[in-house]
């Protein structure tokens, strides 16, 4: 008999599962749909009353180009927008900053000021769409620009729906687009929680992200453990800032990956809900059921896409999307088949959306809630992942806090070891990747990728020069001075930040002001 296959998280997958593999306390671990501990889903009806929100992640070049893509996606049936920002914006630099040279508009849209944000959402009904913004260190800045543009269109903050990622801790672990040291970064997160509770109450103030850790090589168990540990740290930061748990916890959301290992992914999502519910109730004393519900967005696994035989990615994405739906996601982005080569073409983005629509409207997935409940293999895997996640979270806690573990390099080291093991398995052929190390072809068909106009950087610089001439620079300086004073003290920085942005201060100027007060983070720094 052959050796049992190992899961991505490291536990063996048995050839046959039986009732004997089910946890003895399965009824307590399950509950009902929409009931504690939410293993079967956070809502009682899940997709039987309405499908998940279908998002498509888009943003490239100029705000005008991205706006045109958003209108195309909305016409194609997208229910929510998901904005990608270019690297300078993610790092809080203006497009004309020397450090931004060569990166403007490359991996997302360049946003330098309120004028770019107006162009980005021109003609889009912000009171009717849900917008997710993948932005972290300057997350509060982009949210305020969005709110200002909505107010100009007559849409109050109370009518806005959406999410900012705003998850700075995972940047220190896996991604690297941080600006400030951890302590002021956590303060900025807590300030955003408090501001949105009063000003943008339906906004999800953070999307605590395992996706980027998974893309860096984290196993499913590591993805969940390190993400939930980060979530605990954000809860503690908010409590330390004087917020009550049930005032902010209902607006917390999460962001996970969906891989091709469908059964383990379904089990991973179910285990994550269960662990978070118990943490919020038992450790933090949450009373509001919404504080205990782990609501999450899912994106299919970009790291599993191949440039070789890219059409095969259509199959991968369909399987990954299926896993996310069977796992109970609240919203889903399906990657385009050409993303391993370049920014998606319009046709590829439309096909990715059609994949979700087939799952929602041509299958029977939406006819019943949590169809894998009681499955011998899925319930056993859910328990296995739950145990592995709890053990990893305890190892993080042994360092004192998440930030202490980050400073010790614990999470990064664990992820790098998993990534190395996976790379070795692919190189040896032990892990099959269709079209890459098996079932290859001599030559792929030619493909014409979407190319970003190289003149965008110069055009953005011209727009910035014009802005700085036309605006009231004395008003900008006064507003930035008030932001600096708030950052030096204990006041919520989002209120003066909004006024600075209203006066047409740039993203780089706002982030630069905070850099002057809080400093910048280097991996060797301690605080």
């Amino acid at each position: 008999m052959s050796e049992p296959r190992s899961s991505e998280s490291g536990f063996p997958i048995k050839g046959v599962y039986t009732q004997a593999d089910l946890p003895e306390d399965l009824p307590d671990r399950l509950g009902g749909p929409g009931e504690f501990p939410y293993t079967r889903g956070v809502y009682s009806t899940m997709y039987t009353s309405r499908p998940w929100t279908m998002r498509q992640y888009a943003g490239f070049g100029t705000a005008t180009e991205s706006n045109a893509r958003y209108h195309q996606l909305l016409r194609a049936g997208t229910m929510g927008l998901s904005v990608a920002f270019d690297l300078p914006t993610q790092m809080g630099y203006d497009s004309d900053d020397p450090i931004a040279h060569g990166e403007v508009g490359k991996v997302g849209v360049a946003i330098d000021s309120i004028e770019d944000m107006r162009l980005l959402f021109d003609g889009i009904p912000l009171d009717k769409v849900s917008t997710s913004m993948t932005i972290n260190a300057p997350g509060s800045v982009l949210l305020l620009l969005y709110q200002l543009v909505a107010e100009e269109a007559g849409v109050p903050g109370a009518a806005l729906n959406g999410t900012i990622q705003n998850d700075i801790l995972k940047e220190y672990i896996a991604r690297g687009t941080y600006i400030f040291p951890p302590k002021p970064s956590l303060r900025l997160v807590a300030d955003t929680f408090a501001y949105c509770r009063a000003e943008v109450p339906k906004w999800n103030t953070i999307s605590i992200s395992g996706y980027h850790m998974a893309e860096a090589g984290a196993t499913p168990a590591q993805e969940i453990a390190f993400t939930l540990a980060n979530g605990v740290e954000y809860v503690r930061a908010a409590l330390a800032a004087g917020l009550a748990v049930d005032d902010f916890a209902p607006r917390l959301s999460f962001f996970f990956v969906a891989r091709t290992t469908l059964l383990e992914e379904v089990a991973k999502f179910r285990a994550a809900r269960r662990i978070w519910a118990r943490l919020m109730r038992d450790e933090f004393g949450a009373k509001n059921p919404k504080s205990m519900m782990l609501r999450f967005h899912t994106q299919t696994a970009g790291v599993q896409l191949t440039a070789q035989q890219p059409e095969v990615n259509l199959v991968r994405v369909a399987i990954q999307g299926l896993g996310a739906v069977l796992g109970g996601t609240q919203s889903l982005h399906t990657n385009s088949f050409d993303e391993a080569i370049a920014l998606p073409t319009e046709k590829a983005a439309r096909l990715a959306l059609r994949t979700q629509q087939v799952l929602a409207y041509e299958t029977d997935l939406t006819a019943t809630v949590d169809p894998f409940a009681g499955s011998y293999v899925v319930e056993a895997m859910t328990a296995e992942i739950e145990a592995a996640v709890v053990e990893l979270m305890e190892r993080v806690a042994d360092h004192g806090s998440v930030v202490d573990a980050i400073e010790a390099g614990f999470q990064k080291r664990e992820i790098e070891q998993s990534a190395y093991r996976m790379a070795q398995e692919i190189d040896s052929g032990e892990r099959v990747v269709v079209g890459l190390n098996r079932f290859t072809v001599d030559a792929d068909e030619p493909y014409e990728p979407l190319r970003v106009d190289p003149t965008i950087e110069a055009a953005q610089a011209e727009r910035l020069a014009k802005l700085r001439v036309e605006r009231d620079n004395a008003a900008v300086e006064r507003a930035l001075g008030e932001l600096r004073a708030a950052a030096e003290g204990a006041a919520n920085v989002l209120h003066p930040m909004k006024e600075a942005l209203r006066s047409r201060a740039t993203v780089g100027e706002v982030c630069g002001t905070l850099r002057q007060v809080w400093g910048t983070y280097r991996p060797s720094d301690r605080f």
Side-chain angles (χ1 to χ4, degrees), residues 83-158:
V83 184
F85 297 95
D86 73 353
L87 193 56
T89 305
Q90 293 180 49
M91 299 292 292
Y93 292 108
D94 290 331
S95 296
D96 60 354
D97 193 298
I99 203 170
H101 179 61
E103 294 293 341
V104 177
K106 289 292 178 67
V107 299
V109 62
I111 299 294
D112 292 319
S113 71
I114 191 171
E115 295 188 354
D116 289 327
M117 193 64 96
R118 288 187 191 117
L119 292 173
L120 186 63
F121 290 102
D122 183 45
I124 293 174
L126 299 185
D127 55 342
K128 294 182 172 61
V129 300
S130 171
T131 302
S132 174
M133 293 189 276
T134 303
I135 193 77
N136 294 284
S140 55
V141 181
L142 276 297
L143 169 61
L144 293 172
L145 287 174
Y146 186 85
Q147 184 189 10
L148 285 166
V149 168
E151 288 175 351
E152 290 175 352
V155 179

Side-chain angles (χ1 to χ4, degrees), residues 210-218 257 259 299-304 335 415:
Y211 181 88
H212 301 98
M213 290 186 272
E215 293 283 283
V257 77
R259 303 169 179 80
Q299 182 172 336
T300 56
V303 74
Q304 291 188 319
N335 290 327
I415 291 170

Side-chain angles (χ1 to χ4, degrees), residues 175-232:
R175 195 160 174 266
T177 60
Y178 42 71
I179 299 176
F180 317 113
K183 191 172 183 179
S185 292
L186 287 171
R187 171 191 168 179
L188 189 54
V189 170
D191 279 359
T192 305
F193 290 173
Y195 176 86
C196 287
R197 178 173 177 262
E199 304 291 337
V200 198
K202 292 194 288 186
W203 197 267
N204 296 316
T205 49
I206 193 167
S207 179
I208 307 163
S209 175
Y211 181 88
H212 301 98
M213 290 186 272
E215 293 283 283
T219 67
Q222 288 171 340
E223 175 195 359
I224 297 302
F226 297 152
T227 304
L228 297 191
N230 287 352
V232 167

Side-chain angles (χ1 to χ4, degrees), residues 33-34 39-54 79 266 269-270 273 294-298 320-333 356 359-361 363-372:
T39 306
R40 300 200 62 193
V42 292
Y43 304 121
S44 60
T45 57
M46 287 303 290
Y47 312 134
T48 61
S49 56
R50 63 179 293 271
W52 59 94
T53 299
M54 299 178 195
M79 299 151 64
V266 172
F269 295 132
R270 301 169 88 251
R273 277 193 295 270
L294 184 143
R295 297 166 301 113
F296 63 94
H297 169 68
T298 308
Q320 293 162 355
L322 177 61
V325 172
L326 288 169
T329 193
Q330 275 58 72
S331 67
L332 176 62
H333 163 85
Q356 293 201 53
L359 291 174
Y361 300 111
T363 74
D364 54 4
L365 287 172
T366 59
T368 188
V369 176
D370 189 25
F372 273 165

Side-chain angles (χ1 to χ4, degrees), residues 240-251:
L243 302 177
V245 65
D246 286 324
D247 285 344
F248 66 87
R251 303 316 307 173

